[in-house]
Amino acid sequence: MSKILVVTSGKGGVGKTTTSAAIGTGLALRGHRTVIVDFDVGLRNLDLIMGCERRVVYDFVNVINGDATLNQALIKDKRLENLYILAASQTRDKDALTLEGVEKVLTELAEQFEFVICDSPAGIEKGAHLAMYLADAAIVVTNPEVSSVRDSDRMLGLLSSKSKRAEEGREPISEHLLLTRYSPERVARGEMLSVEDVEEILSIQMIGVIPESQAVLKASNQGIPVILDDESDAGQAYSDAVDRLLGKEVPHRFLDVQKKGFLQRMFGGKE
Amino acid sequence: MSIFNFLRARKKAPTASMAKERLQIIVAHERGQRDEPDYLPALQKELVAVISKYVKIDQEHVQVALENQGSCSILELNITLPDR
């Protein structure tokens, strides 16, 4: 049984693409045949985060228009056997994605893959709507910051009313919250919304909390999904989130302030 | 003076609780609006236009609200006429 999962947020720059890349890679690492689809037409970036930007020949819109077959457009990941990427088009035509086209391509992908991850563009316009319309599950990416939390609530409202599942009166999209750029130190100082605060405001379960981490930028610089950096806190936190997505019960890590050791305190040390 | 400042700075109200409070209010407000049918704002506009033909009123003098009680919905119109 195939599952379509949308990674969305409303607000931009909160980590949707980083999350799509990490979760998709995590699922493939666990043996699930997975494809990550970039829906951000005109602002393609998943290819850079996955490190396959020079191997993009055909894209999502080419497949919709029949200029290429799906198998020609799918980019196989260099590192993992089970992982594929479908790049977004760089066209400036905002009507390049059509509901019929997206439905046709996603249905075809669902026949081949266990997980289809849809990396949504920011905003609540057509691209974001199409990314979530056919989803079975959603990961709403949120930063512990007022504008992001508010936009996430708006997105949750849209997920429950403007999807195919909602229109057909089927079981609603299962919603998960992923909190990124979390800083336990700032939470302890009362400067940042805590996990509990965000859960309470949005009344939704947390699937993962990714700490603010230097590993994320390091990974994107290299075009390696951060989940493959299994020594980093962010990588491990994403790994836990993937396990939870697959139904495992895993306690949250990295929620408490890390005590600095004596040497670290004396010499600063690295993060 | 410097010690006094230091102590005061430490006591500053944590901003996260302000963020939480503000979010709870705005999110509750927006959730209320979300359940409203799309036609309410248009209905309100047209009502104002019709009433303005006879009495001078502003947009904010016409309140339109839809309440759901079990199986029936109540459309509540509250029109405040100006003082005579």
Side-chain angles (χ1 to χ4, degrees):
Chain A
M1 204 16 216
S2 165
K3 199 170 186 182
I4 301 179
L5 181 89
V6 60
V7 177
T8 186
S9 70
K11 190 177 180 297
V14 295
K16 282 181 297 296
T17 302
T18 302
T19 299
S20 300
I23 300 280
T25 305
L27 288 166
L29 270 176
R30 285 158 182 74
H32 301 283
R33 215 175 132 77
T34 303
V35 59
I36 316 175
V37 185
D38 191 348
F39 272 77
D40 206 344
V41 171
L43 295 167
R44 170 205 290 171
N45 273 320
L46 178 70
D47 54 343
L48 267 181
I49 301 298
M50 294 296 297
C52 62
E53 69 277 9
R54 297 183 57 180
R55 294 195 290 139
V56 179
V57 182
Y58 295 111
D59 59 51
F60 198 175
V61 171
N62 292 144
V63 179
I64 289 179
N65 294 341
D67 302 331
T69 65
L70 191 52
N71 286 327
Q72 282 177 308
L74 285 173
I75 304 164
K76 190 175 182 306
D77 186 78
K78 290 182 299 235
R79 296 158 292 241
L80 294 171
E81 193 62 32
N82 295 318
L83 186 59
Y84 289 80
I85 292 108
L86 182 57
S89 164
Q90 284 291 47
T91 173
R92 296 214 310 248
D93 173 15
K94 61 180 169 47
D95 295 321
L97 288 185
T98 57
L99 179 57
E100 301 73 49
V102 169
E103 194 154 12
K104 195 187 105 213
V105 173
L106 287 195
T107 311
E108 210 176 317
L109 285 174
E111 285 164 12
Q112 292 188 36
F113 291 93
E114 279 178 78
F115 286 96
V116 181
I117 314 281
C118 304
D119 181 18
S120 171
I124 53 173
E125 307 272 308
K126 193 173 177 190
H129 175 246
L130 289 175
M132 66 167 213
Y133 185 69
L134 296 160
D136 302 305
I139 293 181
V140 178
V141 184
T142 309
N143 288 168
E145 175 271 331
V146 285
S147 47
S148 175
V149 174
R150 180 203 211 167
D151 289 359
S152 294
D153 188 65
R154 185 118 174 79
M155 215 57 230
L156 289 168
L158 293 175
L159 282 168
S160 63
S161 62
K162 299 272 190 268
S163 67
K164 189 169 191 188
R165 280 176 171 264
E167 283 173 7
E168 289 177 351
R170 284 187 290 150
E171 198 186 319
I173 294 178
S174 64
E175 300 163 343
H176 310 279
L177 194 68
L178 185 93
L179 203 58
T180 56
R181 309 201 65 169
Y182 193 69
S183 164
E185 291 80 16
R186 304 199 71 182
V187 172
R189 287 201 298 266
E191 291 174 7
M192 183 182 269
L193 291 164
S194 68
V195 173
E196 294 77 22
D197 290 341
V198 179
E199 270 181 324
E200 192 185 326
I201 294 163
L202 298 177
S203 43
I204 170 176
Q205 273 269 302
M206 204 67 79
I207 195 152
V209 179
I210 314 301
E212 172 82 64
S213 166
Q214 301 190 356
V216 175
L217 182 61
K218 258 189 235 166
S220 77
N221 285 342
Q222 299 170 277
I224 301 171
V226 69
I227 198 167
L228 291 176
D229 182 357
D230 50 16
E231 281 176 17
S232 70
D233 45 1
Q236 291 172 19
Y238 270 120
S239 199
D240 289 354
V242 173
D243 284 335
R244 287 187 205 103
L245 193 66
L246 293 170
K248 267 198 209 164
E249 288 217 13
V250 187
H252 286 278
R253 294 187 271 178
F254 317 111
L255 299 191
D256 299 315
V257 180
Q258 301 287 308
K259 286 259 173 9
K260 276 192 179 176
F262 173 73
L263 284 176
Q264 241 183 328
R265 233 192 259 240
M266 293 297 287
F267 301 110
K270 64 177 174 108
E271 285 278 298
Chain B
M1 180 65 180
S2 62
I3 287 178
F4 183 67
N5 273 351
F6 175 74
L7 289 174
R8 261 172 52 132
R10 295 241 86 176
K11 264 207 200 153
K12 231 185 236 167
T15 52
S17 53
M18 277 174 70
K20 186 181 180 184
E21 220 169 278
R22 291 173 59 218
L23 273 169
Q24 277 173 325
I25 293 167
I26 192 68
V27 163
H29 177 74
E30 288 178 343
R31 278 184 192 162
Q33 284 185 334
R34 191 186 296 164
D35 300 332
E36 283 179 358
D38 298 341
Y39 61 76
L40 280 191
L43 176 68
Q44 182 179 15
K45 238 187 209 161
E46 284 178 38
L47 280 171
V48 172
V50 171
I51 297 164
S52 309
K53 280 191 195 169
Y54 306 96
V55 196
K56 202 174 157 349
I57 57 160
D58 282 329
Q59 179 94 22
E60 66 263 28
H61 293 127
V62 177
Q63 307 270 340
V64 184
L66 192 72
E67 243 180 86
N68 291 307
Q69 290 180 343
S71 60
C72 75
S73 305
I74 301 168
L75 181 67
E76 194 182 300
L77 295 180
N78 193 350
I79 303 165
T80 320
L81 295 179
D83 295 335
R84 271 192 292 177

